[in-house]
Amino acid sequence: MVTDEHSKDIYGDGTLIQKTRTHGHGTDGRIPLTEDLLLNAPSGNLFAMTQNVAMGWNPEEVNREQYVIVSTQGGLRAEDGTAVALGYHTGHWEIGLLVREAAEAIRSQDAIPFAVYCSDPCDGRSQGTTGMMDSLPYRNDAAIVMRRLIRSLPTRDGVMGVATCDKGLPATMIALAGCTAMPGVIVPGGVTLPTPEAEDAGSVQTIGARFAHDIISLDYAAEMGCKACGSSGGGCQFLGTAATAQVVAEAFGLSLPHSALAPSGEPIWLDMARRSALALMNLKAKGITLGDILTQKSLENAMLLHAAFGGSTNLLLHIPAIAYAAGLKPPTVEDWSRINRMTPRLVDALPNGPRNHPTVQVFMAGGVPEVMLHLRDMGLLHLDVLTVGDDTLGDVLDWWENSERRQLARERLAAEDHVDPADVIMDADTARKKGLSSTMLFPTGNIAPQGAVIKATAIDPSVVGADNVYRHRGPARVFTSEHAAIQAIKGLTENPVRPNDVLVLAGVGPSGTGMEETYQVTSALKFIPWGKQVPILTDARFSGVSTGACIGHIGPEALVGGPIGRLRDGDLIEIVIDRNALHGTINFLGPDGEEQTPEAAQRILLNRPPHPGLQANPKLPDDTRLWAALQAASGGVWAGSVYDVDKIITTLQAGMKVLSEERTI
C-alpha cells in the first residue's frame, strides 16, 4: 500500500499543479525574414530562427554567422564553482568556463555561438574495472556523435572543439579532422596543478599495491589521496595520454601557440579560449579550412613533437585515426621508426624523468613552441605549414622566439619554482648527454610477428646496459586477466610475481577486453622496489604514464591466434631493446626455462594449443564486441582502430554472399 508520506515525496501532490501555466507569451519583435528566404530557404533554416529567439537570442540577430562549440564538459558546477553534480574527472570539470569565454568572445563579434556536449570517461577512474572495456571504443563513438552534432547545425560557419583528456580530446580531434571543408580550432583543456610535498595523480594510483607490500601506511594513503590534485580542473600533471594529445593538437597546427598544458582555471587558460574564438572567426573571414591545416606535412610535425616530448604510446592509436579522418595517408610503423630516429626526447617531464617535472612546468618552460625551436634548429620541422593563427609555423616560431610571453613565462618558472627552463626543455646535445634517448621502438619476434611497441625512453636506466641496450631473460608468468596479474603482483596469491619474471598478460586486446589500459599493473611494478626487474608483454595497451620495460600492442592478439596466447608459465623469454639502433626483439626461447634452437622454439610455439585460460571477458559489452569487429575489419590496432566504412561494407557483403550461397546448397 502506498502511504501518504511516500506518495507526497515520490509521486508528488497537487500543490504545484495549481501554479502550472498552460500558455506563455512569445518574444516581441520580428525575425529577419525576406521574400527570398521564404521562397528558397529550407524550412529547417527558418524554424531555426524561431528556436534561436525562443532560447533568448535577439530576434534581429538570429541569422548572423554561427559557430559550433563542441566540448566534453562533465558535471554541474554552481556559479561559485562548488559541485552540484560531479563529473567523472577534473579534465572535463572546468572546461565549461572555456566554452563560456569562447562563446562570449564570439558574441562580442556580432556572431552566434552554439554549445553542444559529448562528455567523456576517465581512464584513471576505470582502471582495473569493467569500465575500461568502454574506454577506447568510446573514442570512435564520441567522434561520430560529435560529427553528427556539428552537421546537425546546417547553418554553421565554423567549429571549435574543447577537450582535455585521454579519449575525449582524441575523439574531438578526429571529429574536427572529418570536417575539412570548414574552419576549425581546438582548445585544449589544460592541466591540473601539483600540490607541493604531495604525490602526483599518477603515483597516487598505486597506493593499493604499495600498501599491500607494506611500503606505505593506511594514513599516508588516505592523506595523499586527498592532496594529489592541486586544482579542480585539467588533465593529470604527468605527460600521459591527455597531455600528449594536447601537445599533438598544437603540433598539428589545430591550436594556438603555447596553448597545450596551460594550468586549468588560471587567467592565461581562460584567455586562450577567447583568443581561439577570435582566431576561428578570422579563419572564416580568410576562407581557411581545416583541410588547409591538416596536411601530410603537419602530420609529420605532430609525430616529431610526439617523439621529442616522449609522448604516450596511445597516440599510436590516435594520430593514425586523425590522419584517416582528414583523408591523409596514415603513418606506418616504418614512418614512426623514421621519425623517432630523427630526435631524442628533449623534454624532462613526469613520468619519464630524469627529474620528472610536472606538466605545468613544461608549459612555463615554453611548452610546444619551445620544443619546436629546437626541432627547427635541427632542420626537422616543416615550417611552411599553416596554423589556426593564420600564420605559417615558421612565422609563429619567429614570433615566439622573441616574444615577451616566452621571456616572462621562463623567468617566472625560475623565480617561483626555482627551476631552470633549460633543464625542462633541452637541446638535442644536452638531452643526449643526460641519457635521454629516442622515444618509441617497435620490437618484433616469434611472440610478436606483426609487431609491438615500447616507450624505450621510459625504461629504468638502472636496468639498461652501459651500451644503452636493455636485455632480459626470464621465466614467463602468464595471466589471462588483469585482476589475476595484479593479485599476484600484490603477493596475494600462492605463486606471486617475483623479480626477473616476465609478466605476460594475454587475451586482453580488442577482442578480449576492448584493448584495456593496464596502468594498475605497470604502476604497481614501478613503485615496488624490485618492480623494474619485471618486464611486461601484452596485447593490451598502456597508460601514457606507464614506465618500465612495458611492451604492448603485441600482434596478432591472443584471441585471434597470436603466439602470445600460446605462452605458458616457466617459458624462457628473451627481450632485447637497443635504444641506440631503435631495434628490439621479443622471443620465446623454449619451455621450462630451457633454451632451444630458434627453429625448434618456433615449432613448439606454433604447435601448442592456446592457453587454456584464454577467453573474451564474460562481461565484455556487446557495444565493445561490435567495436572490436568493426575496427578489425578496418585494419585493426596498427591502422588506428578506425572505422573504414568501405572495408566494413566489403567485408559484410562478402559474408552475406557466402551465407546466401550456403542457404541455397
Side-chain angles (χ1 to χ4, degrees):
M1 178 181 293
V2 177
T3 65
D4 289 343
E5 183 178 356
H6 180 82
S7 172
K8 182 176 181 180
D9 289 345
I10 305 299
Y11 302 142
D13 59 19
T15 304
L16 298 179
I17 286 289
Q18 300 176 39
K19 302 178 182 179
T20 301
R21 297 186 303 162
T22 59
H23 58 273
H25 181 74
T27 302
D28 294 327
R30 297 166 57 88
I31 59 175
L33 291 176
T34 65
E35 288 186 8
D36 181 62
L37 283 173
L38 287 171
L39 291 172
N40 299 305
S43 64
N45 289 4
L46 303 180
F47 182 64
M49 289 190 273
T50 298
Q51 289 288 291
N52 294 347
V53 171
M55 290 184 284
W57 214 260
N58 185 333
E60 297 177 0
E61 301 174 357
V62 293
N63 207 26
R64 294 180 176 178
E65 282 189 1
Q66 301 178 8
Y67 295 91
V68 182
I69 306 172
V70 58
S71 80
T72 57
Q73 168 69 28
L76 183 63
R77 294 161 48 96
E79 285 298 317
D80 64 358
T82 57
V84 177
L86 293 174
Y88 286 0
H89 54 93
T90 58
H92 65 205
W93 175 245
E94 284 188 339
I95 62 172
L97 301 175
L98 294 174
V99 173
R100 173 173 289 188
E101 194 77 12
E104 289 176 349
I106 291 170
R107 185 168 187 169
S108 73
Q109 300 299 307
D110 296 325
I112 306 176
F114 289 80
V116 293
Y117 306 92
C118 179
S119 198
D120 57 342
C122 175
D123 281 3
R125 183 180 290 270
S126 60
Q127 289 291 338
T129 76
T130 55
M132 184 54 71
M133 298 180 194
D134 288 294
S135 173
L136 185 54
Y138 158 88
R139 183 207 69 177
N140 291 38
D141 297 342
I144 291 172
V145 170
M146 290 178 185
R147 279 197 298 268
R148 291 193 188 280
L149 287 170
I150 294 165
R151 293 194 298 263
S152 294
L153 186 71
T155 51
R156 65 197 177 274
D157 290 287
V159 58
M160 171 184 288
V162 186
T164 306
C165 281
D166 295 27
K167 301 304 174 296
L169 181 51
T172 306
M173 286 193 280
I174 293 167
L176 265 66
C179 301
T180 52
M182 74 176 71
V185 63
I186 292 286
V187 177
V191 299
T192 307
L193 293 174
T195 301
E197 309 303 323
E199 295 195 2
D200 64 84
S203 61
V204 80
Q205 294 182 49
T206 70
I207 52 179
R210 286 182 286 157
F211 179 75
H213 285 274
D214 293 324
I215 297 171
I216 61 172
S217 68
L218 175 60
D219 287 343
Y220 176 87
E223 182 180 356
M224 289 300 107
C226 270
K227 291 183 176 179
C229 296
S231 56
S232 61
C236 295
Q237 307 106 327
F238 48 80
L239 193 71
T241 306
T244 305
Q246 294 185 35
V247 167
V248 165
E250 188 174 333
F252 261 118
L254 292 171
S255 301
L256 289 178
H258 202 222
S259 58
L261 314 181
S264 180
E266 296 299 301
I268 197 168
W269 173 80
L270 282 172
D271 182 62
M272 169 187 61
R274 180 189 63 82
R275 291 183 290 105
S276 296
L278 299 180
L280 175 60
M281 299 185 71
N282 180 63
L283 293 175
K284 170 63 169 61
K286 298 288 184 64
I288 297 171
T289 68
L290 285 161
D292 298 318
I293 292 168
L294 290 168
T295 65
Q296 291 296 149
K297 288 182 177 180
S298 66
L299 169 62
E300 187 159 299
N301 284 349
M303 295 168 68
L304 276 163
L305 266 292
H306 177 274
F309 266 82
S312 163
T313 55
N314 281 319
L315 271 293
L316 265 75
L317 294 162
H318 303 320
I319 289 178
I322 296 165
Y324 175 78
L328 305 176
K329 180 181 177 293
T332 63
V333 170
E334 290 73 23
D335 292 326
W336 282 109
S337 296
R338 173 177 57 83
I339 292 293
N340 276 267
R341 287 189 175 95
M342 290 181 176
T343 179
R345 175 163 60 91
L346 304 179
V347 178
D348 179 348
L350 277 166
N352 298 326
R355 294 189 181 183
N356 290 312
H357 297 284
T359 42
V360 67
Q361 292 185 349
V362 178
F363 174 80
M364 297 300 285
V368 170
E370 193 68 23
V371 175
M372 282 183 161
L373 288 181
H374 294 301
L375 295 175
R376 180 197 67 179
D377 294 344
M378 296 163 68
L380 298 180
L381 289 173
H382 297 288
L383 299 174
D384 58 341
V385 298
L386 195 60
T387 70
V388 293
D390 184 26
D391 291 304
T392 65
L393 179 59
D395 288 342
V396 168
L397 295 182
D398 288 342
W399 162 79
W400 172 256
E401 189 169 22
N402 299 294
S403 69
E404 180 187 43
R405 181 185 177 104
R406 177 188 183 226
Q407 176 187 341
L408 292 177
R410 291 165 66 84
E411 287 177 354
R412 184 166 179 81
L413 177 62
E416 292 294 317
D417 291 0
H418 307 292
V419 171
D420 184 347
D423 288 335
V424 182
I425 298 174
M426 294 161 261
D427 61 72
D429 289 340
T430 302
R432 290 189 179 99
K433 288 176 184 176
K434 292 190 175 184
L436 278 65
S437 59
S438 296
T439 299
M440 289 197 305
L441 190 151
F442 301 90
T444 57
N446 62 19
I447 296 174
Q450 287 183 352
V453 66
I454 181 173
K455 190 195 286 188
T457 191
I459 302 175
D460 192 299
S462 67
V463 295
V464 178
D467 56 356
N468 208 26
V469 178
Y470 170 81
R471 299 177 179 86
H472 186 96
R473 278 194 179 198
R477 285 299 317 283
V478 181
F479 302 94
T480 56
S481 76
E482 187 185 24
H483 176 75
I486 198 68
Q487 292 295 102
I489 290 170
K490 289 181 176 180
L492 303 178
T493 61
E494 291 184 6
N495 186 17
V497 172
R498 296 179 175 85
N500 202 50
D501 284 347
V502 177
L503 194 156
V504 178
L505 186 55
V508 289
S511 302
T513 66
M515 201 177 189
E516 67 184 0
E517 188 177 276
T518 56
Y519 178 59
Q520 66 166 348
V521 171
T522 60
S523 61
L525 288 172
K526 176 179 180 178
F527 291 98
I528 295 171
W530 46 264
K532 61 188 175 184
Q533 300 171 37
V534 179
I536 300 173
L537 305 179
T538 183
D539 50 6
R541 58 191 176 87
F542 297 117
S543 165
V545 72
S546 293
T547 56
C550 308
I551 301 174
H553 299 223
I554 288 177
E557 62 170 312
L559 286 173
V560 298
I564 188 174
R566 300 191 187 102
L567 296 175
R568 301 288 193 275
D569 279 357
D571 285 346
L572 183 60
I573 306 295
E574 180 183 61
I575 303 169
V576 179
I577 303 296
D578 187 333
R579 304 200 303 178
N580 294 318
L582 292 187
H583 175 76
T585 56
I586 46 175
N587 284 304
F588 162 78
L589 300 183
D592 302 319
E594 296 184 4
E595 184 174 359
Q596 307 286 324
T597 65
E599 296 77 15
Q602 179 77 356
R603 283 195 303 272
I604 292 170
L605 198 56
L606 289 176
N607 291 327
R608 269 183 179 172
H611 190 285
L614 275 182
Q615 63 171 346
N617 192 300
K619 296 181 179 179
L620 188 68
D622 286 345
D623 301 332
T624 301
R625 291 176 58 216
L626 177 61
W627 165 84
L630 294 177
Q631 66 88 35
S634 305
V637 170
W638 291 99
S641 291
V642 299
Y643 292 160
D644 186 323
V645 175
D646 291 334
K647 287 183 178 179
I648 291 168
I649 291 174
T650 299
T651 302
L652 286 172
Q653 289 175 338
M656 289 187 290
K657 181 180 179 182
V658 170
L659 290 173
S660 177
E661 291 171 350
E662 288 179 350
R663 293 191 194 101
T664 61
I665 296 175

